[in-house]
């Protein structure tokens, strides 16, 4: 099941599978990418709660999400995504820092970047908080403009 909500970074499609959030997609949505979304259901409890929490996040009233998550990926991707959840609201980490947290060298930074870019649940699993070693905003699956907007939302809420 899925629902759509408007947000400051464009429409978001939130997808639920087996009682957990399995994807958040930025518009324009791609319905033929192999992912199964099922039917739209704006009344599904877990989707309604995700919408509520995302609205609170965008209103700068929520700093930590509390949602059941079921991202689909490899063991390495899931390990990276687990590390992303440890980056605090308003903080950032580099790809190299994430690699080191996983017990890997800087050489794994590229693999971390690929896993970061494959994150199926952006915003909630905060891949936007990962930046280049020199502090630059590097690639983001939703586009650099969205990444910058999400980081600005968090910075504005802190100050």
């Amino acid at each position: 099941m899925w629902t759509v909500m408007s947000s400051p970074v464009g429409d978001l499609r939130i997808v639920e599978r087996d009682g957990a959030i399995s994807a958040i997609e930025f518009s324009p949505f791609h319905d033929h990418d192999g992912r199964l979304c099922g039917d739209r259901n704006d009344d599904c409890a877990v989707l309604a709660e995700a919408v509520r929490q995302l609205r609170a996040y965008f209103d700068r009233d929520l700093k930590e999400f509390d949602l059941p998550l079921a991202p689909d990926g490899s063991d390495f991707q899931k390990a990276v995504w687990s590390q992303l959840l440890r980056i605090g609201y308003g903080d950032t980490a580099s790809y190299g820092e994430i690699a080191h947290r996983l017990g890997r060298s800087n050489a794994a930074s590229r693999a971390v970047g690929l896993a970061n870019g494959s994150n199926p649940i952006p915003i909630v699993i905060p891949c936007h908080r990962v930046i280049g070693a020199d502090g630059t905003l590097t690639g983001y699956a939703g586009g650099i403009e969205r990444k910058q907007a999400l980081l600005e939302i968090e910075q504005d809420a802190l100050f």
Side-chain angles (χ1 to χ4, degrees), residues 3 10 14 38 44 59 68 71 73 79 82 94 107 116 125 128 133 143 147-148 159:
T3 192
I14 307 160
C44 170
D59 288 341
S82 176
S94 72
N116 196 56
I125 299 176
H128 62 279
K147 183 174 191 166
Q148 184 169 351
F159 298 105

Side-chain angles (χ1 to χ4, degrees), residues 5-13 24-29 54 57-58 60 122-123 128 140 142-153:
M5 69 172 282
S6 61
S7 83
V9 293
D11 287 346
L12 301 173
R13 178 166 54 187
I24 296 176
E25 302 167 350
F26 295 110
S27 63
F29 308 126
L54 283 161
Y57 169 83
F58 288 118
R60 297 161 176 82
I123 305 170
H128 62 279
Y140 186 64
I144 291 293
E145 300 80 16
R146 284 187 175 124
K147 183 174 191 166
Q148 184 169 351
L150 292 167
L151 290 171
E152 287 174 0
I153 286 168

Side-chain angles (χ1 to χ4, degrees), residues 77-89 91 93-95 98 101-102 112-113 115-131:
Q77 288 172 324
K78 289 178 181 178
V80 169
W81 301 335
S82 176
Q83 288 300 315
L84 300 182
L85 289 167
R86 296 178 183 194
I87 305 171
Y89 183 93
D91 290 334
S94 72
Y95 297 97
I98 300 297
R101 292 176 190 177
L102 292 169
V112 167
N116 196 56
S118 298
N119 173 17
I121 311 175
I123 305 170
V124 175
I125 299 176
C127 51
H128 62 279
R129 295 179 187 156
V130 182
I131 59 173

